[in-house]
Amino acid sequence: MPDIYVREYSPAGHLGRHMVLDPRSLAYRRPYDGGQPLRATAWEPRLPVLDQRNLIAQGIHTADAYGLEQDVDALASCTGNAATALLSILLTPEQAHAAALNLADAAMAQHFAIGLYADATACDKWAEYTWPTQDVGSSGLGVAKAMRNRGLIDQYGHATTAEELCTLLQTGPVLLGMPWHAAFSDPDPDGFIDADPTWANSPLEGGHEVCVTALEAVALDDGTLMPEHSYLRFRNSWGSAWGDHGDGRLRLSTYLTIRDQADVIQPRIDSWSV
């Protein structure tokens, strides 16, 4: 598929995102023209913090549920997990129930995320294998297509700049696929993964997908965005003991630093005002 840009990372039990860019869908991004007001905003997930690790302790037995020879205790399902957190915001409780997404039971919601991850690997036509045959990881684009195939969303848009990212967050949460440095795994007490100023020098461990739920602070200087003083909050999928009760934060300046390996996708339904 020559028109698709793919950058693969080695999947692990907690990292499983690959970078996939489709010029056809990127053409539908909404460029920031300077006219939209950028304000702090937040979108709260309506389900417990999920954990793609420690599956057995959660009562999730992949051998029985997915036909594996033996249980695995972690999956590279971050794309499915991030999308599930996003859907808990996007869908009404009634719509979530109809989609078999249990907002009250973390283990059941994790099963939903795993199923969405499996669908995403099937949508990644560039990849040779799919899960549950192989735990190969997926992409933000793959899981967006999986959600659309299930009828859970109608469309998705992209952002490629900090201003566009902030603009999308005015209307709803977004999926952020990013390179994951070792320093990011040890956030400060407030959940900032970039608290260590030398984070960029720490090893690149793989790719990860998270659901950005808030533009918690936005700083402007005469209408110009100040990335160092603006920051995002995101829902991770490593349990509530990680970061700030399961959430992390990063500065927009960090997003700009990793932007060549990042992708931003906002799944939407037609009734959203954009």
Side-chain angles (χ1 to χ4, degrees), residues 144-168:
K145 290 180 177 180
M147 286 187 283
R148 189 173 60 182
N149 289 346
R150 287 192 183 192
L152 299 173
I153 63 170
D154 297 308
Q155 57 175 309
Y156 49 86
H158 296 264
T160 59
T161 70
E163 289 83 2
E164 290 172 0
L165 171 54
C166 291
T167 301
L168 289 183

Side-chain angles (χ1 to χ4, degrees), residues 80-91:
N81 280 87
T84 299
L86 183 141
L87 286 170
S88 78
I89 301 169
L90 183 64
L91 303 178

Side-chain angles (χ1 to χ4, degrees), residues 72-83:
V72 297
D73 202 29
L75 282 172
S77 60
C78 57
T79 55
N81 280 87

Side-chain angles (χ1 to χ4, degrees), residues 69 226 240:
E69 291 185 0
M226 302 172 65
S240 58

Side-chain angles (χ1 to χ4, degrees), residues 11-13 15-16 72 74-77 117 121 129-137:
L15 300 171
V72 297
L75 282 172
S77 60
Y117 165 56
T121 64
Y129 300 105
T130 61
W131 196 85
T133 305
Q134 297 287 334
D135 189 17
V136 292

